[in-house]
Amino acid sequence: MEKYNIGQEILKEVKAKYPSVTAFAKDLCKSSSATYEIFGKTSLDTDLLLKVSKLLDRDFFREFSEKCLNGEVAVEDKDMTENHINCLLPEDELHVFTYDKHEMVLEEYFLLPRKKPLVAFCGWKDREEEIKLTCVIGENIFGKGMVRSLRVDSNNLADLEAQIPILTSIPQKAFVILYRGRGLDNGYDYVILLTEKLLAASGKHVVLICSNRNWVSITNDKAVYSSNVEPTFDTWKERIFACVLDNSQNDFVYNRELYYAIKGCGYIDAISCCLGLGTSDIDEEKVKQLIAEAKEKLSTFKDTIIKEDEERERHLISSLVVRPEDMEKFERYMSKDSVSIWIDISKATGTILDWQGSFKSMIFGDDPWYSDAPM
């Protein structure tokens, strides 16, 4: 059984109810860095715990005492306390953050000790907005004027390398670099190497913002997915923290899932496979696992109850809503079944009764509940 870690439980609640740690810290009347230290604790002062419980509207006192009595509370981890915790940026994993999470992930990078640069990918139209946001967050933590922003492209990378000794000696505590590479040869290898050198020489936080052009097209009658993120991450994941800062339209997640749907290997395809060819073939646990995973990883995912009675609910599950211009472009290669499916679930047992209308005539005959099933 996993031990109850009160700091981590508080963090989960903060992520669910606040736009950022800074916003929570203001209500708590603490600095952002002191607030992050709370997330690494396995016990808290009673006055502080009371205030946290009131702000988050969750009774951590009761939870903590119950877990203590049952021997389920985590023991203080000296290493975790000294080095803090990795709240949002686990190593060696590419994370895609929705628009509302940008501030929180950038805060974490600046507040916690880091030994690697953060490489954040965003849409090329969003890069100026992201560098401004990153600098504002950094200055909120380090102070006015304590974040140095740099803009470089493939033509002046050598100039950046020559400036590293000077940048190391200046008083700023963090660097935010916007790389404006273009074309097929974006030069990411060179600029990431320079961010590593700058971090190693200065001991300061370094954020590298790179534009990512991800899209889906049809080439030689085949679906092609183009993106700078995945190949860069595969090459550098051992030496950087990497993430995607998706925009408010969720373009990165949308294009990637659209490609998977066209190729027949998206989340809806996986769920359909687990539903099997007959009622006895359903792997219900796997279906539930895939739905939970899709909800967590796909900002475009929707699970909507479209019909219900006393016995059952009909859920319309969609990995994405295909944009009209894409449906028009890709209709030869993708059906609606690739991005959505409906499932009927028993209210009493939670079991799956039917899906996609496949067994309407075979099992339920003329049951009027199925007469208007979306196809």
Side-chain angles (χ1 to χ4, degrees), residues 48 166 180 201 264 327 370:
L48 178 58
I166 298 172
R180 298 175 291 196
M327 183 57 76
Y370 291 87

Short mmCIF file of all heavy atoms in Angstrom, two decimals, residues 48 166 180 201 264 327 370:
data_model
loop_
_atom_site.label_atom_id
_atom_site.label_comp_id
_atom_site.label_asym_id
_atom_site.label_seq_id
_atom_site.Cartn_x
_atom_site.Cartn_y
_atom_site.Cartn_z
N LEU A 48 -0.55 25.79 10.40
CA LEU A 48 -0.42 25.83 8.94
C LEU A 48 -1.37 24.84 8.29
O LEU A 48 -2.02 25.16 7.28
CB LEU A 48 1.02 25.51 8.55
CG LEU A 48 1.33 25.46 7.05
CD1 LEU A 48 0.98 26.78 6.38
CD2 LEU A 48 2.79 25.11 6.82
N ILE A 166 30.50 36.01 -20.08
CA ILE A 166 29.92 37.27 -19.61
C ILE A 166 28.59 37.01 -18.91
O ILE A 166 28.31 37.55 -17.82
CB ILE A 166 29.72 38.25 -20.79
CG1 ILE A 166 31.07 38.57 -21.43
CG2 ILE A 166 29.01 39.51 -20.33
CD1 ILE A 166 30.96 39.38 -22.71
N ARG A 180 14.68 31.03 -32.46
CA ARG A 180 13.83 31.25 -33.62
C ARG A 180 14.34 30.49 -34.83
O ARG A 180 14.56 31.06 -35.90
CB ARG A 180 13.73 32.75 -33.91
CG ARG A 180 13.10 33.52 -32.76
CD ARG A 180 13.11 35.02 -32.98
NE ARG A 180 14.46 35.57 -32.93
CZ ARG A 180 14.72 36.88 -32.78
NH1 ARG A 180 13.73 37.73 -32.68
NH2 ARG A 180 15.96 37.32 -32.75
N ALA A 201 28.00 26.49 -16.46
CA ALA A 201 28.96 27.54 -16.13
C ALA A 201 28.43 28.52 -15.09
O ALA A 201 29.17 29.02 -14.24
CB ALA A 201 29.33 28.31 -17.40
N GLY A 264 -5.34 4.61 -37.43
CA GLY A 264 -6.05 3.51 -36.77
C GLY A 264 -5.42 3.06 -35.47
O GLY A 264 -5.63 1.92 -35.04
N MET A 327 -11.92 17.34 -41.45
CA MET A 327 -12.83 16.28 -41.88
C MET A 327 -12.97 16.31 -43.40
O MET A 327 -13.01 15.27 -44.06
CB MET A 327 -14.20 16.46 -41.21
CG MET A 327 -15.18 15.35 -41.55
SD MET A 327 -14.56 13.69 -41.10
CE MET A 327 -14.79 13.74 -39.33
N TYR A 370 -32.81 1.93 -27.99
CA TYR A 370 -31.70 1.92 -28.95
C TYR A 370 -32.09 2.48 -30.30
O TYR A 370 -31.29 2.53 -31.20
CB TYR A 370 -31.17 0.50 -29.13
CG TYR A 370 -30.47 0.00 -27.90
CD1 TYR A 370 -31.17 -0.62 -26.88
CD2 TYR A 370 -29.11 0.21 -27.73
CE1 TYR A 370 -30.54 -1.03 -25.72
CE2 TYR A 370 -28.47 -0.19 -26.58
CZ TYR A 370 -29.18 -0.81 -25.59
OH TYR A 370 -28.55 -1.22 -24.43
#
